[in-house]
Amino acid sequence: MNDKMWRFVGNNYATETGLDTADMETFKKDPISSLAREICQNSIDARAGKDKVVIEFHSFEITKDDIPGRERIEKEMISCEEYQKRRNNPKDKEQLERMIKEVGRDRIQCLRISDYNTTGLLGVSSREETPFYLLTKGSGLSNKVGTSGGSKGIGKYASFVASAFNTVFYSTYTKEQEQGYIGICKLCSTTIEGSDEKTQGIGYYGIDEKNNPILEQISIDPNFKRKSFGTDIYILGFKNEETWEKEIVTKVLDSFLSAIYYDELEVIINDKVINKQSLSDIVYNDELITKKFQSSIKSQYILLNDPTVYKEKIQISEYGEVELYLKSFSKDESYLATNECVMIRYPYMKITSLRGISSIPCSAMCIIPNNQLNKILREIENPQHTDWELRRIDDSAKRAEVNAIYRELKSSIVDFVQSKLALSENDEIDVEGAGDYLPSVDSESGLGSNEEITITEQPKVVKKLKNKVKDKIGVYEDSEGMALQPDVGDHEEGEGSPVPEGTNSGRTGEPHDSDQEEGLDGDGNKDIMKIAQLSGMSYRYFVTDKKNGKYVISFTSLYDEENCDLEMSHLDDGGNKYKTQITNCSINGSEGYVENGIIKGFELKNGVKYKIEVDTDLEDYYACEVKIYANR
């Protein structure tokens, strides 16, 4: 029987299928963006020859009667809705009611996606694992190898998610002179009319009981006729939200800007043409790009186009080279900085980003060309091709090997960034706010040192813990009435204070011998000193040498104090707070005194800016907290 019609396949009394299967759910979070990304990578993978791939997204309307076999689709949807009602499944029932409404509208919105300079979907007439067969009949199957953009075999479901009634037609004209098309409708299982068997939840618009494709082209778009090799995808009932064009432009640029820049890809979205020639105008037109991605897209373009960008090729063991690009930004341009390294693998598709590469305003890019490293990373990509996930490797030994390779890649990127952004005699980089951190040697206060700090890596401003600050300048105490406990031994009320041989906590404080907590001594003529934290001051600091734990702390004093102590604390990844051991320090160029990991006995003058260089026991970047105490 060679009739063109819809046939919904029986399940042979086996598994039932629901409406929201896992492959559909994968792309529901962001259907339009997912569609753009999946379409582009599939078309790039099917590139024929050296000419760039051209992809067109074109929206149009048809009447409901223009949908091939529309009444049969509607009938199947009604059967599914009634079956879900009997099963007491309100979620699927309500969704099916919406689909029935959409397929019954007088005017149906559609999207045609056409590619050019591709091979087309080869193997139209074959039932073997050809591109046409795998796309239309496969699930989780793919014959893509090497550096192909997609390889999981589920990206095609992004097209169904973009349809209001899960219906898509594929039509192709291949380089082998084949022509063919087939329609697919993804619903859920229901009973087959006149039988107690159920369907698999999927229907095909084909030519016979074997659901073979119709060996000709179809043009559901009345104003389109294909004349060259390639594939057309028709999404019926296209969910064309108001921002759909903007979402596709954004995703195409964010994911494939490099491919467009290298003239490997051109994308047309209705009347908008995105190619190498128009790229600059599109990138800098904020009305065309979702705000969230504007900085990322602009920085990618700058990295590829700006002659001042640092460029370097780095070998990753025996697995191949990667190409690294880095751009630092001035304070005025810092809004363009992402402080991330975009990870792109051939065929020039962005996979993920390496975050937090520096605190200096910058953006970076890593391009992994057609090599063994590319192949290794492709094998651990998630189905959406937006991350590399080691847990996808079952074998523990192989997982450890790939983890070591990936860690080497990340370490090489961070080392590249640090080396290029490091301060040197001939290269100065304006760290945002660094003028506030480092007092000038010719400042008005006259303080500072003519001796420069030697920085072995790029300064990294470290996130600090929020110090407790009172409404007004003064001191505050902890829950026990003290902040930094002086080294005077134990004290119990009424027994008197042990008299220390040295001084009160610092080197210059004068000891007291009273059991009073504060005020004057018994003779009424000598102040009893009390240790309390100075509040209201803002401390800024950054790392000058991570491996050797060298920090610079900068602040402006709000007090006149003769005897102060400074302590540092840091947080680990779990949020636990620890005391930082300071081993050496200098204060505005003069050597300071350190005891038990605390800087002790230094003087403060109101309005003076202080630069304190410290050596600590830290060996990495940490969120830190600074506290200064005075004897009062």
Side-chain angles (χ1 to χ4, degrees):
M1 183 168 60
N2 294 323
D3 295 332
K4 300 176 185 178
M5 60 183 296
W6 286 101
R7 296 174 177 86
F8 288 84
V9 184
N11 70 351
N12 198 27
Y13 299 95
T15 305
E16 287 191 33
T17 304
L19 198 58
D20 291 328
T21 55
D23 42 30
M24 297 281 282
E25 286 290 339
T26 299
F27 301 101
K28 280 194 171 183
K29 182 179 178 180
D30 193 3
I32 302 301
S33 295
S34 298
L35 174 69
R37 183 177 173 85
E38 295 296 330
I39 291 295
C40 287
Q41 72 176 33
N42 287 340
S43 294
I44 290 173
D45 290 345
R47 182 178 180 179
K50 296 182 179 180
D51 291 338
K52 65 183 174 185
V53 172
V54 179
I55 303 171
E56 181 183 9
F57 294 81
H58 179 73
S59 60
F60 63 97
E61 274 190 353
I62 58 174
T63 68
K64 63 181 181 182
D65 293 332
D66 292 326
I67 297 176
R70 188 200 69 85
E71 293 180 353
R72 179 65 184 91
I73 297 176
E74 186 176 42
K75 180 180 178 181
E76 189 71 12
M77 289 179 182
I78 293 171
S79 175
C80 289
E81 186 268 336
E82 291 175 346
Y83 179 64
Q84 296 304 323
K85 182 178 180 180
R86 293 195 301 272
R87 292 183 67 248
N88 194 27
N89 184 353
K91 180 177 178 292
D92 281 5
K93 176 181 176 298
E94 291 172 5
Q95 188 171 340
L96 284 160
E97 288 174 348
R98 291 193 295 270
M99 294 169 71
I100 293 168
K101 181 179 179 180
E102 292 295 331
V103 80
R105 291 184 182 277
D106 291 335
R107 303 291 299 179
I108 305 293
Q109 276 284 295
C110 301
L111 181 70
R112 173 177 54 82
I113 307 171
S114 302
D115 64 28
Y116 305 90
N117 300 327
T118 65
T119 62
L121 289 172
L122 300 174
V124 174
S125 304
S126 174
R127 298 188 64 84
E128 302 298 327
E129 291 192 359
T130 62
F132 188 94
Y133 178 82
L134 291 172
L135 179 65
T136 59
K137 303 288 179 66
S139 179
L141 300 174
S142 174
N143 61 357
K144 295 182 181 181
V145 295
T147 55
S148 298
S151 61
K152 305 300 179 182
I154 69 170
K156 59 193 173 189
Y157 294 107
S159 298
F160 292 92
V161 172
S163 167
F165 43 89
N166 296 6
T167 303
V168 175
F169 275 77
Y170 299 96
S171 180
T172 191
Y173 176 31
T174 77
K175 68 175 185 178
E176 296 177 352
Q177 305 294 324
E178 299 174 293
Q179 299 185 63
Y181 77 89
I182 195 169
I184 302 175
C185 180
K186 282 186 61 64
L187 300 176
C188 60
S189 292
T190 184
T191 53
I192 297 176
E193 187 175 7
S195 170
D196 59 352
E197 185 184 358
K198 297 181 177 62
T199 66
Q200 293 183 19
I202 187 167
Y204 295 94
Y205 188 84
I207 199 170
D208 54 28
E209 293 292 342
K210 293 183 179 180
N211 297 304
N212 283 319
I214 300 161
L215 300 181
E216 58 188 59
Q217 292 187 66
I218 189 173
S219 184
I220 298 175
D221 181 352
N223 298 315
F224 172 77
K225 184 175 179 62
R226 174 169 288 279
K227 298 179 180 178
S228 59
F229 304 144
T231 299
D232 307 306
I233 300 174
Y234 295 94
I235 299 175
L236 306 188
F238 175 55
K239 299 176 182 176
N240 61 331
E241 297 179 4
E242 187 176 340
T243 60
W244 77 268
E245 291 185 35
K246 191 172 188 177
E247 289 180 47
I248 289 182
V249 170
T250 299
K251 183 54 67 172
V252 166
L253 290 177
D254 186 55
S255 299
F256 297 97
L257 189 144
S258 297
I260 297 169
Y261 179 83
Y262 288 120
D263 210 21
E264 305 273 328
L265 176 66
E266 176 179 311
V267 179
I268 304 168
I269 305 162
N270 283 339
D271 59 344
K272 299 178 183 65
V273 179
I274 307 175
N275 57 23
K276 184 176 177 64
Q277 291 70 39
S278 67
L279 190 55
S280 177
D281 292 337
I282 300 290
V283 164
Y284 289 101
N285 187 341
D286 290 345
E287 293 183 0
L288 297 178
I289 301 171
T290 303
K291 186 175 182 180
K292 177 182 176 182
F293 292 89
Q294 288 173 5
S295 293
S296 172
I297 289 170
K298 288 174 184 174
S299 68
Q300 284 190 57
Y301 181 74
I302 291 169
L303 286 165
L304 293 169
N305 195 59
D306 189 331
T308 67
V309 166
Y310 294 111
K311 299 179 183 179
E312 192 167 311
K313 291 185 178 181
I314 294 179
Q315 181 74 27
I316 306 300
S317 295
E318 69 272 21
Y319 302 102
E321 286 185 335
V322 299
E323 300 169 8
L324 299 180
Y325 302 76
L326 173 67
K327 171 71 175 177
S328 62
F329 295 96
S330 67
K331 185 175 181 180
D332 293 339
E333 297 175 321
S334 60
Y335 67 95
L336 293 169
T338 62
N339 292 94
E340 297 178 351
C341 180
V342 177
M343 308 295 286
I344 296 170
R345 74 166 184 85
Y346 188 84
Y348 300 117
M349 178 174 65
K350 172 185 172 183
I351 303 300
T352 186
S353 293
L354 185 61
R355 296 178 174 83
I357 57 173
S358 174
S359 290
I360 296 174
C362 67
S363 294
M365 176 184 291
C366 172
I367 296 181
I368 304 166
N370 185 356
N371 57 22
Q372 183 66 18
L373 177 62
N374 191 314
K375 180 180 179 181
I376 291 171
L377 293 176
R378 180 183 61 82
E379 291 175 349
I380 62 171
E381 283 173 18
N382 61 9
Q384 301 94 324
H385 304 284
T386 56
D387 202 1
W388 290 306
E389 300 173 348
L390 289 166
R391 67 176 181 269
R392 294 183 174 277
I393 304 175
D394 294 329
D395 182 81
S396 59
K398 184 177 180 181
R399 184 166 59 248
E401 179 185 1
V402 175
N403 184 36
I405 296 168
Y406 189 41
R407 290 181 65 180
E408 180 183 349
L409 173 62
K410 292 192 291 185
S411 177
S412 298
I413 293 170
V414 173
D415 289 346
F416 166 72
V417 171
Q418 291 183 357
S419 67
K420 296 303 181 184
L421 296 185
L423 296 179
S424 68
E425 293 182 359
N426 299 321
D427 251 341
E428 288 191 5
I429 296 175
D430 182 18
V431 181
E432 185 176 0
D436 295 331
Y437 304 164
L438 301 174
S440 171
V441 296
D442 58 355
S443 62
E444 292 181 4
S445 67
L447 295 175
S449 170
N450 291 326
E451 182 181 349
E452 295 183 354
I453 303 173
T454 301
I455 299 178
T456 60
E457 60 183 75
Q458 99 283 3
K460 173 159 182 170
V461 180
V462 181
K463 180 182 178 183
K464 62 182 179 180
L465 302 178
K466 186 175 181 181
N467 294 314
K468 296 180 180 178
V469 180
K470 284 194 169 184
D471 294 336
K472 57 184 179 180
I473 299 170
V475 299
Y476 76 82
E477 304 164 349
D478 62 18
S479 60
E480 298 177 354
M482 300 293 284
L484 181 64
Q485 181 66 29
D487 299 325
V488 295
D490 295 333
H491 169 64
E492 295 182 7
E493 186 176 355
E495 296 182 357
S497 298
V499 179
E501 295 180 359
T503 59
N504 191 5
S505 179
R507 289 185 301 152
T508 59
E510 187 174 341
H512 66 85
D513 55 2
S514 170
D515 62 354
Q516 293 178 247
E517 298 293 338
E518 58 185 328
L520 301 177
D521 65 9
D523 299 329
N525 57 15
K526 186 169 68 173
D527 287 336
I528 296 174
M529 304 303 291
K530 180 180 180 182
I531 304 261
Q533 183 185 340
L534 303 180
S535 65
M537 293 194 295
S538 176
Y539 307 103
R540 297 179 177 178
Y541 44 96
F542 61 91
V543 182
T544 57
D545 185 345
K546 176 184 69 173
K547 294 181 180 178
N548 294 307
K550 294 182 180 292
Y551 281 66
V552 172
I553 304 167
S554 176
F555 64 94
T556 300
S557 176
L558 302 175
Y559 305 91
D560 287 312
E561 295 288 348
E562 294 183 355
N563 185 28
C564 299
D565 300 338
L566 181 149
E567 68 175 7
M568 286 181 64
S569 302
H570 63 278
L571 285 182
D572 64 13
D573 292 339
N576 301 305
K577 183 176 175 181
Y578 301 93
K579 178 182 176 181
T580 302
Q581 291 293 321
I582 299 172
T583 56
N584 292 291
C585 76
S586 68
I587 303 172
N588 285 347
S590 299
E591 184 179 358
Y593 174 72
V594 177
E595 183 179 309
N596 295 327
I598 298 170
I599 302 174
K600 295 198 171 191
F602 62 94
E603 183 180 60
L604 292 180
K605 294 294 184 182
N606 188 10
V608 173
K609 182 177 285 187
Y610 288 86
K611 176 184 67 178
I612 301 180
E613 302 166 52
V614 297
D615 294 341
T616 73
D617 61 343
L618 303 179
E619 296 180 351
D620 207 336
Y621 298 121
Y622 289 93
C624 293
E625 179 181 59
V626 172
K627 291 182 180 179
I628 295 180
Y629 303 88
N631 293 319
R632 295 193 164 199

